[in-house]
Amino acid sequence: MAEYSVMDRINMIISDPDHATMTLAQIVTEEIREFKASEQYANMIQAEAYYRNRTDVQRKTNDVANRSNTRIEHPILKKLVDQKANYLLGKPFTVDTKNSSYGDALNDVFDQTFRRKIKSLGKGAVKSGIAWLQPYFDDGKLAFMRIPSAELVPIWRDAERTKLDAFIRFYDQVIYIGTRKHTITHAELWWTGGVKYFKTDAFAGTIAGDFIVDTEHGDEANDYTEPHFTVGNKAYNWDTVPIVWLKYNEEELPLCYFIKDLIDDINWQTSVTADVLRDVAKFIYVLKNYGGQDLGEFIKDLKEHMAIKVTTDGGVDKLQADLNIDAVMAFLDKQRRDVYDFAAAVDTKDPDLGNASGTAINFRYMDLSSDCDSLATELKDTFQRLKLFIDVYLQIAGKGDFSKETFDIVFNMDLPVNETDVIQNAVASESLLSKRTILQNHPWVTDADEEMERIDAEKKAAMEEYGEGLFGDALGAGKGQNGQGDPVNGGGADGNE
């Protein structure tokens, strides 16, 4: 029997639907079910829960009556994910291109909204292992939408997962039918030929979770297929699948995957310790040869008379938890250091960090810098995948054909530095590096091109001021004390003595 890839089957169905063994709706249904049953999907859901500070400590139980059952959680993953995103993308990135017109056009696209989306994309990659950004047109202008990682099924072309044939996006929608609330799931199949829409419908006689064609999109004449976008009543399809991605690592594993057990242990040990401290006043009494009738009488005598009856050799002992707080704190401190170590992050509460020298700070940030450098390399590839969509938009918008131009992205990582040392090094490099390179690495400069324009404007203003002063002095020197005639001959305005 012949073997076909997912995209092969999709193409076969599109080209010859009457002889296909499966419908597109069945393929979409199967792909979504398989994705939701995968380990990758489970990792994404788990990482999202841990980022929102809902961890496995919530499963902690205590079957003993009247005993505490504390569940203390620490937003550790959120701090680590945000630290990486802020370190790499907290400061505005710079667009570097030889074509100034292309640079201006790119900066118009890379507005504040786009830059926030890129920061969200970086955070999503660290949190979920892979993050997605979809270009689309909004009132004739190119825009971008972050697709949640757990709502997108990629159909890769190659085993290395570097080229995409198609993708399926699915999401839930709550609707009202009459007075009853229903949840239906929408699905979209995007490929180079357009986009098809599907949905679940409990009233269509299908099995729960199965998709049917959503006939509200497109029409029967075009087999309910819509174009990628429309501009000026003209339909267009991109040459490639309209989606770009950013991977946190080659394996597409989220940060939570590597440190989950450490986070669980910190939460568990903290919660158990809190239980002991809360129950420290709840003693266990050991009775020896008690002279009363029952335990109820013992409690009554203890409360009312502050005394109890015992026989000749009787007595009462008291048991309570013996908790070594110092040992617990030392263990939790070790676990905390391990979290930051294996997460390639920086513990900003380290008491020695504030007094560290510039070299020591660089050493402390080495793991974080290395991890973010890898993410930055992946993000540069993401920008190159975006280039196709941006260049097409610039052509449609009449801003020029820049398809043969190139650009690079310079990330300004937020590393704590000694600004005086950096500035002195920049000054010392003036004879070795271009002014633009120096400005890009200056701690006070966020946009090298804008700063160069300011410098040129100041130079021009200074030259104009200097020129006016120079010519003004020369003109004044050519006049007599009364401002008229030749000071040498003493002639008046009319040439008479």
Side-chain angles (χ1 to χ4, degrees):
M1 183 179 293
E3 296 181 358
Y4 299 100
S5 67
V6 176
M7 199 61 212
D8 289 337
R9 286 189 174 274
I10 291 175
N11 289 329
M12 289 171 61
I13 294 171
I14 293 173
S15 61
D16 190 7
D18 293 334
H19 295 84
T21 57
M22 294 181 68
T23 65
L24 286 179
Q26 289 174 328
I27 288 181
V28 167
T29 300
E30 186 62 29
E31 289 297 313
I32 292 177
R33 282 178 179 169
E34 183 177 333
F35 175 68
K36 296 182 76 171
S38 68
E39 182 181 359
Q40 184 180 29
Y41 180 80
N43 288 337
M44 290 177 179
I45 298 301
Q46 184 180 75
E48 181 66 29
Y50 272 62
Y51 182 83
R52 296 176 181 272
N53 206 28
R54 281 299 172 263
T55 66
D56 282 356
V57 77
Q58 290 295 327
R59 302 176 184 176
K60 176 175 172 286
T61 59
N62 192 340
D63 297 330
V64 180
N66 300 321
R67 295 295 300 274
S68 298
N69 185 31
T70 311
R71 301 182 182 96
I72 298 177
E73 298 188 277
H74 304 76
I76 297 173
L77 185 66
K78 182 180 186 304
K79 182 173 182 177
L80 297 174
V81 171
D82 291 352
Q83 183 183 83
K84 293 180 186 293
N86 290 329
Y87 181 78
L88 177 61
L89 299 165
K91 291 185 176 180
F93 57 79
T94 304
V95 180
D96 187 12
T97 179
K98 295 180 180 179
N99 189 321
S100 59
S101 298
Y102 192 30
D104 293 339
L106 289 173
N107 283 319
D108 287 340
V109 176
F110 299 157
D111 56 11
Q112 283 300 111
T113 300
F114 176 84
R115 291 173 182 269
R116 285 195 296 269
K117 293 287 178 67
I118 289 297
K119 185 176 180 181
S120 175
L121 187 73
K123 185 170 72 173
V126 179
K127 183 172 62 175
S128 301
I130 187 171
W132 304 91
L133 188 70
Q134 184 176 21
Y136 69 100
F137 275 82
D138 183 16
D139 293 333
K141 185 177 180 180
L142 185 65
F144 302 89
M145 177 170 57
R146 274 270 289 114
I147 306 296
S149 302
E151 293 182 359
L152 191 140
V153 184
I155 300 175
W156 298 102
R157 182 184 307 170
D158 58 336
E160 292 182 325
R161 302 165 73 90
T162 59
K163 299 177 181 179
L164 204 64
D165 273 332
F167 71 88
I168 300 169
R169 187 202 171 190
F170 63 95
Y171 56 93
D172 291 336
Q173 179 188 25
V174 176
I175 64 172
Y176 279 90
I177 300 178
T179 59
R180 296 180 59 188
K181 183 186 294 186
H182 298 267
T183 299
I184 63 173
T185 303
H186 293 272
E188 305 168 3
L189 172 62
W190 293 75
W191 80 105
T192 54
V195 54
K196 284 182 176 290
Y197 295 85
F198 306 87
K199 65 179 181 179
T200 57
D201 189 348
F203 299 97
T206 59
I207 300 174
D210 283 359
F211 287 88
I212 60 174
V213 174
D214 188 349
T215 55
E216 295 180 6
H217 294 269
D219 52 48
E220 189 175 1
N222 58 22
D223 197 24
Y224 301 102
T225 301
E226 290 193 356
H228 290 159
F229 63 95
T230 303
V231 176
N233 295 324
K234 188 174 181 179
Y236 295 90
N237 281 334
W238 300 104
D239 290 337
T240 60
V241 184
I243 198 82
V244 297
W245 59 90
L246 174 62
K247 296 181 180 182
Y248 178 48
N249 48 55
E250 184 179 353
E251 296 76 18
E252 302 174 23
L253 291 172
L255 177 61
C256 181
Y257 181 87
F258 303 98
I259 57 173
K260 174 186 178 299
D261 291 343
L262 288 169
I263 295 175
D264 287 340
D265 203 37
I266 290 174
N267 290 339
W268 184 272
Q269 296 296 340
T270 304
S271 299
V272 170
T273 301
D275 286 343
V276 174
L277 292 176
R278 289 187 178 191
D279 295 337
V280 71
K282 300 175 183 177
F283 304 126
I284 298 176
Y285 294 94
V286 180
L287 306 180
K288 183 180 180 181
N289 294 330
Y290 171 57
Q293 298 297 320
D294 52 31
L295 293 179
E297 184 180 348
F298 162 75
I299 298 297
K300 179 181 178 182
D301 289 343
L302 189 63
K303 288 181 178 180
E304 294 181 358
H305 307 290
M306 299 299 294
I308 57 172
K309 299 174 291 184
V310 296
T311 58
T312 305
D313 58 346
V316 179
D317 291 330
K318 183 172 61 177
L319 297 181
Q320 66 185 84
D322 184 13
L323 180 63
N324 189 336
I325 293 295
D326 292 337
V328 173
M329 295 304 296
F331 178 78
L332 290 176
D333 183 65
K334 174 189 176 300
Q335 297 294 75
R336 176 187 175 87
R337 284 184 278 110
D338 284 347
V339 165
Y340 283 93
D341 183 17
F342 297 118
V346 176
D347 185 0
T348 55
K349 288 188 176 182
D350 186 339
D352 298 328
L353 186 63
N355 299 322
S357 63
T359 302
I361 289 177
N362 288 335
F363 181 77
R364 298 285 182 88
Y365 275 75
M366 188 182 343
D367 285 347
L368 177 61
S369 295
S370 177
D371 198 38
C372 288
D373 278 337
S374 298
L375 187 60
T377 301
E378 292 288 333
L379 190 50
K380 287 188 176 185
D381 289 341
T382 303
F383 271 94
Q384 294 309 309
R385 286 187 284 269
L386 278 174
K387 183 179 186 302
L388 168 67
F389 307 107
I390 295 172
D391 289 346
V392 170
Y393 162 69
L394 294 177
Q395 290 186 50
I396 293 176
K399 297 184 179 182
D401 182 2
F402 301 104
S403 56
K404 296 183 179 180
E405 300 293 336
T406 60
F407 73 88
D408 189 23
I409 299 296
V410 179
F411 297 102
N412 303 301
M413 296 191 188
D414 195 14
L415 173 67
V417 295
N418 187 322
E419 290 187 351
T420 302
D421 292 341
V422 175
I423 294 172
Q424 289 177 350
N425 291 335
V427 172
S429 302
E430 285 183 348
S431 61
L432 302 174
L433 302 174
S434 68
K435 179 169 292 186
R436 193 172 189 280
T437 300
I438 294 174
L439 289 174
Q440 283 178 337
N441 293 276
H442 197 289
W444 295 353
V445 176
T446 57
D447 190 326
D449 292 328
E450 183 179 348
E451 193 64 29
M452 290 184 69
E453 291 177 0
R454 291 175 180 173
I455 293 174
D456 291 340
E458 289 180 357
K459 285 183 178 180
K460 183 178 180 181
M463 289 295 294
E464 291 176 353
E465 183 179 355
Y466 175 74
E468 290 177 357
L470 179 62
F471 292 117
D473 291 344
L475 180 63
K479 297 181 179 181
Q481 292 181 352
N482 61 358
Q484 296 180 345
D486 187 348
V488 177
N489 298 322
D494 57 0
N496 298 325
E497 293 183 359

